[in-house]
């Protein structure tokens, strides 16, 4: 079953962009923070489920709210250049 729903296609592309940006983040000499790595890993697993479900024909419906949230989160991920510690600065442990 092939879907032509633009919301589904947009959501799959957005989730794929989030996953790829987080997967290819490089610290480039910055301080490694294990909490940020684990959080990025969990986010990657959660967002990778959408393209995999679409690929295996188990994702055929998306809502405007989920697409808008994912687009905003995608913009934030690209704005922070994939740095989860910067993205979730509120969660950063205080020293």
């Amino acid at each position: 079953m092939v879907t032509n729903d633009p919301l589904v296609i947009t959501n799959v592309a957005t989730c794929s962009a989030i996953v790829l940006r987080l997967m290819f983040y490089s610290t480039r000499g910055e301080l490694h923070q294990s909490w940020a790595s684990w959080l990025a890993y969990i986010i990657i697993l959660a967002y990778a489920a959408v393209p995999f479900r679409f690929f295996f024909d188990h994702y055929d419906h998306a809502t405007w709210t989920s697409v808008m949230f994912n687009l905003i989160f995608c913009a934030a991920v690209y704005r922070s250049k994939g740095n989860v510690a910067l993205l979730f600065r509120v969660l950063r442990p205080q020293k």
Side-chain angles (χ1 to χ4, degrees):
M1 173 167 114
V2 177
T3 182
N4 293 327
D5 187 6
L7 281 178
V8 170
I9 304 289
T10 304
N11 203 31
V12 169
T14 303
C15 291
S16 299
I18 292 170
V19 167
L20 290 173
R21 185 63 183 126
L22 290 176
M23 281 178 56
F24 292 110
Y25 172 71
S26 174
T27 56
R28 286 177 250 150
E30 297 174 7
L31 180 65
H32 175 75
Q33 298 180 14
S34 61
W35 70 270
S37 298
W38 280 104
L39 185 58
Y41 180 69
I42 292 168
I43 293 170
I44 288 169
L45 287 178
Y47 275 100
V50 173
F52 276 116
R53 286 178 56 205
F54 180 76
F55 182 71
F56 290 110
D57 255 353
H58 291 288
Y59 188 76
D60 56 0
H61 180 72
T63 62
W64 278 103
T65 54
S66 64
V67 173
M68 289 306 296
F69 176 79
N70 290 340
L71 284 169
I72 291 168
F73 189 71
C74 183
V77 166
Y78 274 86
R79 173 98 169 129
S80 69
K81 297 181 173 85
N83 187 348
V84 173
L86 183 61
L87 187 63
F88 292 100
R89 186 176 295 186
V90 175
L91 300 176
R92 187 179 302 180
Q94 300 297 321
K95 292 182 181 184

